[in-house]
Amino acid sequence: MYNYNDFDAKFVAERNRQFRRQVERRISGNLSEEEFKPLRLMNGLYLQLHAYMLRVAIPYGTLNSRQMRQLANIAERWDKGYGHFTTRQNIQFNWPKLRDVPDMLDALAEVDMHAIQTSGNTIRNVTADHFAGAAADEIADPRPVAELLRQWSTDHPEFQFLPRKFKIAVSGSPNDRAVIRAHDIGIGIVKRDGRIGYCIIAGGGLGRTPMIGKVISEFVTQENLLPYVEAVVSVWNLLGRRDNKYKSRIKITVHEHGIEKIRSLVEERFELLRRTYSGIDIKLFEEITAAFSPPEFQKVSAGEFELAYKSDPVFESWADTNLAKHRAEGYAIAQISLKAHGQTPGDATSDQMRAMADMAEEYGNDELRISHEQNVVLPHVRKSDLPAIHSILKKHGLATANIGLASDIIACPGMDYCALATARSIPVAQDISNLLKNLEDEIGELKIKISGCINACGHHHLGHIGILGLDRAGVENYQITLGGDATQNTALGRRTGPGFSHDKIVPAVERLILTYLELRENSGETFIEAYRRLGMEPFKSALYDRVHAHAAE
Amino acid sequence: MTGKFTPKVVTANALREGDVVYMKANDDWTRDLGEAELLTEEGYAKLRLLMAEGQPEYVVGPYLADVADGENGPRPIHFREAFRSAGPSNYFHGKQAGLN
């Protein structure tokens, strides 16, 4: 994994020193809020409903045990003993005091972390497949590319005042787990004639005007990657609408001008930029790639795993849902659910963070990943160690066997924390999770995603069942979309019709699920497959026509 | 007179702590909505907001929030203000856990 060099460490230390002085000047009255706000946002500090919120970047979702322990310490010392993992692989602390934030940033710097560019109209934290370097279906590890992009985009002088924020995601596998088609730029690693290259997708995004990204180049070689991405960002930087923030994202630029025109402008710009790259990016990429070289996998018997799997039904159930196929024989990818039934999606206490750090150190090559689905991953574990890992997870309330099931819900913080929210998300997620707890194994794979406002941090457009919380005449109201898909077959959900009040939304979701169970061809047909076969009608009818029938039962 | 004026309070977030505060009649800030000054006249409410905006060393983003006059002082009308005056619903944190 990548460690800061002297330059990185000095840069972050200097930024922290500057921010400490800026906070002092704000408190002493020498900076107005108007002057201070852009400075605090550049350092990831928001002011939310009840408190400040510090958003810390976890580049491409990768952490080591030391970093995870430090996050636990920060949560305990300066917050309320927990952190919230987000859909962009960041962690948010919900209760810091302004005066403490410089100390928190210094504590982060001790473990090569920071909060730079986690806000503002800049290139944000570059995200990646959370199974990077471990997945059986991977062409190449996406993290070296993500790290190269992180170094290139951090404090890039041309890209500090973009028309709006800019989000990049990288996937190294044809099975997209990084939602690359819903990012400003999505990068998919591809292989052509034995050579590795990059398929570049531009103009995707969710929010008020959701758009699926379009392929702008099928194959960009390694030498051309950085100048090509720079060309895309710089073309948008000039063309992007600064007059209307609802039209400023690249998805609108691509939509308004057409992908063909954007492609030709990018190619023109690329020809100019390419000549300015001296090859240092290639050398750097090679160094970074070396830092991500895979661990040495050992040949180990999976005997203990098989024994536990046969004899312990709780372990069997957890293994069936929470493990994914690893590239090395005898190994597995273990997913730790942060979706205990009835709890807040994505939250982990300091004790839980420490337990996960200990497990990573003891059993997992010292690596942890944060997924955009708000769970934690131990990417490299020997199958024979899984029974021991499972028993530790149980002790810490981390053994929920629900990855990919109905209670593995993405939910943004919503109006419980966020100043932009128009309704709450978390209690809806908690109630659905409690309701479906005993039914979810029967239901099978189901992605429910909840956002508390149109900005769609909860990816509701991409949920098999998407829920969007709005404020309708001073009352919380929840719209439902069906048929969204966050994989390589990206699809935006369609709205079912009028929304439901806070006390009616969970029963409405229940009706959808009962309808699915009633109408599916067999237990192998998932919710999304049944929806694709049946269309909207039976679900719409369950939501709107059969309310009274169900109520009467 | 055009239309009925919905009573207001001046509210903001405290600069240092970040938590929700309300303006009292004596220009001080309180963390308890019940102690806030109830503003029943539009012109006066605007004036009080200006007074709040003159205190950037204590508060951030002051604005006028709709309230109703209750037995224990002003109470929120909109659910957003209700959450601001209480705290999040997923944990017993914020004002509901005790005014700090």
Side-chain angles (χ1 to χ4, degrees):
Chain A
M1 128 171 218
Y2 181 81
N3 293 306
Y4 280 10
N5 59 26
D6 285 352
F7 176 85
D8 298 324
K10 272 186 197 152
F11 172 78
V12 172
E14 174 59 15
R15 274 289 287 265
N16 288 353
R17 193 192 63 78
Q18 289 170 0
F19 188 60
R20 183 177 292 277
R21 295 291 306 278
Q22 289 156 1
V23 169
E24 281 168 12
R25 272 148 52 208
R26 175 69 184 97
I27 288 175
S28 67
N30 293 323
L31 279 179
S32 69
E33 186 59 21
E34 290 66 35
E35 289 165 324
F36 180 64
K37 189 177 175 185
L39 300 171
R40 69 169 158 79
L41 290 176
M42 278 167 76
N43 291 288
L45 186 63
Y46 287 74
L47 184 53
Q48 296 286 50
L49 273 194
H50 311 292
Y52 286 98
M53 179 272 281
L54 183 66
R55 179 183 293 158
V56 177
I58 301 173
Y60 32 88
T62 295
L63 286 172
N64 60 29
S65 61
R66 201 168 145 250
Q67 292 171 320
M68 186 65 119
R69 282 195 195 100
Q70 189 76 324
L71 294 176
N73 295 342
I74 288 170
E76 210 161 60
R77 180 155 177 205
W78 292 293
D79 207 273
K80 292 192 189 292
Y82 74 99
H84 176 75
F85 292 101
T86 77
T87 53
R88 292 214 77 254
Q89 301 180 313
N90 297 308
I91 184 170
Q92 295 183 172
F93 296 108
N94 284 326
W95 301 93
K97 303 270 192 282
L98 179 57
R99 208 183 264 290
D100 292 336
V101 174
D103 290 338
M104 295 168 82
L105 293 177
D106 282 348
L108 288 168
E110 284 172 20
V111 294
D112 293 2
M113 293 181 81
H114 63 66
I116 296 165
Q117 287 180 210
T118 59
S119 175
N121 294 335
T122 55
I123 299 176
R124 302 290 187 87
N125 184 32
V126 178
T127 56
D129 182 353
H130 43 272
F131 292 169
D137 57 10
E138 187 172 87
I139 297 166
D141 189 334
R143 291 173 302 161
V145 175
E147 173 60 25
L148 182 73
L149 289 164
R150 187 189 71 81
Q151 295 195 18
W152 160 81
S153 63
T154 302
D155 216 32
H156 192 302
E158 190 179 334
F159 302 140
Q160 292 303 297
F161 297 95
L162 292 167
R164 196 84 176 86
K165 57 188 162 186
F166 198 87
K167 300 175 181 176
I168 303 177
V170 193
S171 164
S173 155
N175 297 306
D176 179 14
R177 289 173 288 263
V179 213
I180 61 174
R181 283 159 192 81
H183 278 76
D184 295 288
I185 288 182
I187 299 176
I189 301 179
V190 287
K191 214 171 202 174
R192 188 186 274 184
D193 306 326
R195 273 182 86 201
I196 296 255
Y198 303 95
C199 174
I200 311 291
I201 296 160
L206 301 175
R208 177 178 302 261
T209 319
M211 300 267 186
I212 295 170
K214 299 171 182 70
V215 174
I216 185 162
S217 178
E218 297 268 1
F219 194 86
V220 173
T221 61
Q222 184 65 55
E223 309 81 79
N224 290 339
L225 178 69
L226 220 42
Y228 194 87
V229 170
E230 183 162 328
V232 176
V233 183
S234 78
V235 163
W236 167 69
N237 195 16
L238 279 178
L239 275 186
R241 300 266 303 259
R242 284 177 160 84
D243 60 319
N244 181 342
K245 78 170 181 174
Y246 302 123
K247 296 187 173 180
S248 55
R249 298 285 291 267
I250 193 174
K251 61 188 175 187
I252 306 290
T253 316
V254 169
H255 182 72
E256 284 184 348
H257 294 266
I259 188 74
E260 293 76 18
K261 180 170 173 209
I262 299 293
R263 184 182 292 120
S264 82
L265 289 169
V266 164
E267 273 160 18
E268 220 172 280
R269 179 83 184 140
F270 165 72
E271 286 305 323
L272 287 174
L273 284 172
R274 184 165 66 158
R275 286 176 235 152
T276 67
Y277 276 78
S278 60
I280 181 105
D281 52 318
I282 302 301
K283 195 170 155 279
L284 190 58
F285 180 73
E286 281 162 9
E287 285 169 23
I288 294 169
T289 304
F292 285 100
S293 52
E296 272 185 38
F297 300 115
Q298 299 148 350
K299 281 232 154 58
V300 277
S301 147
E304 282 176 59
F305 171 82
E306 303 297 344
L307 189 66
Y309 190 82
K310 278 185 201 135
S311 60
D312 177 356
V314 179
F315 178 75
E316 180 195 359
S317 157
W318 178 80
D320 283 346
T321 49
N322 290 36
L323 299 182
K325 197 168 162 45
H326 196 279
R327 57 191 274 203
E329 201 184 322
Y331 280 73
I333 300 169
Q335 301 179 79
I336 302 172
S337 168
L338 296 185
K339 313 290 176 65
H341 296 105
Q343 302 298 311
T344 305
D347 279 10
T349 64
S350 292
D351 286 344
Q352 289 176 325
M353 289 187 227
R354 288 194 187 102
M356 291 188 279
D358 290 348
M359 279 182 281
E361 196 168 44
E362 170 86 25
Y363 301 108
N365 195 48
D366 204 30
E367 274 193 56
L368 291 151
R369 306 286 170 73
I370 309 305
S371 78
H372 82 269
E373 291 181 314
Q374 301 178 284
N375 293 308
V376 178
V377 178
L378 293 167
H380 308 294
V381 290
R382 286 185 285 268
K383 286 179 104 171
S384 56
D385 289 332
L386 284 166
I389 289 171
H390 183 246
S391 77
I392 298 169
L393 290 171
K394 279 195 289 189
K395 277 188 211 143
H396 295 276
L398 290 167
T400 313
N402 63 347
I403 296 289
L405 300 182
S407 61
D408 185 7
I409 298 171
I410 288 186
C412 72
M415 203 181 274
D416 285 302
Y417 297 92
C418 179
L420 299 173
T422 44
R424 288 172 296 169
S425 308
I426 293 169
V428 177
Q430 290 174 303
D431 290 349
I432 293 174
S433 156
N434 278 330
L435 175 79
L436 300 178
K437 183 177 175 182
N438 297 321
L439 200 57
E440 65 184 348
D441 287 324
E442 174 66 19
I443 299 166
E445 190 195 332
L446 176 61
K447 305 276 188 185
I448 302 178
K449 301 179 197 273
I450 310 175
S451 305
C453 84
I454 194 82
N455 294 313
C457 294
H459 296 187
H460 63 276
H461 302 104
L462 302 180
H464 300 161
I465 298 177
I467 299 174
L468 165 63
L470 297 167
D471 174 351
R472 283 280 178 264
V475 180
E476 287 170 294
N477 185 276
Y478 295 87
Q479 289 180 353
I480 296 178
T481 49
L482 294 178
D485 186 339
T487 70
Q488 60 283 357
N489 308 312
T490 318
L492 302 172
R494 279 177 55 210
R495 231 181 95 187
T496 56
F500 297 85
S501 63
H502 189 80
D503 59 338
K504 300 256 164 56
I505 181 63
V506 178
V509 171
E510 185 180 26
R511 291 200 295 284
L512 288 174
I513 285 168
L514 294 177
T515 304
Y516 153 67
L517 290 174
E518 207 174 286
L519 298 180
R520 69 181 177 185
E521 277 186 326
N522 53 57
S523 62
E525 188 182 45
T526 63
F527 180 92
I528 188 71
E529 288 163 353
Y531 170 81
R532 286 180 189 139
R533 177 173 59 82
L534 295 161
M536 179 73 97
E537 278 319 306
F539 296 101
K540 215 168 161 169
S541 155
L543 285 178
Y544 301 106
D545 305 340
R546 288 162 56 187
V547 180
H548 302 295
H550 273 277
E553 273 165 20
Chain B
M1 242 180 97
T2 55
K4 198 167 173 287
F5 179 71
T6 306
K8 306 273 190 283
V9 294
V10 175
T11 181
N13 288 74
L15 169 66
R16 292 174 190 224
E17 294 79 11
D19 59 345
V20 174
V21 290
Y22 305 95
M23 198 153 107
K24 297 205 291 187
N26 65 359
D27 289 1
D28 274 354
W29 294 89
T30 173
R31 291 178 156 81
D32 180 355
L33 174 56
E35 291 178 5
E37 180 185 16
L38 185 78
L39 308 168
T40 53
E41 200 270 311
E42 190 172 6
Y44 184 64
K46 281 182 182 163
L47 183 71
R48 295 301 287 159
L49 179 60
L50 278 175
M51 298 289 286
E53 283 166 354
Q55 299 191 43
E57 66 277 32
Y58 297 116
V59 296
V60 181
Y63 64 94
L64 294 168
D66 289 351
V67 289
D69 192 7
E71 250 172 61
N72 302 309
R75 55 183 177 77
I77 295 178
H78 193 276
F79 62 91
R80 187 175 194 271
E81 290 305 322
F83 296 136
R84 285 183 82 241
S85 70
S89 51
N90 61 330
Y91 297 120
F92 192 64
H93 289 159
K95 292 196 186 304
Q96 60 199 336
L99 301 176
N100 52 4

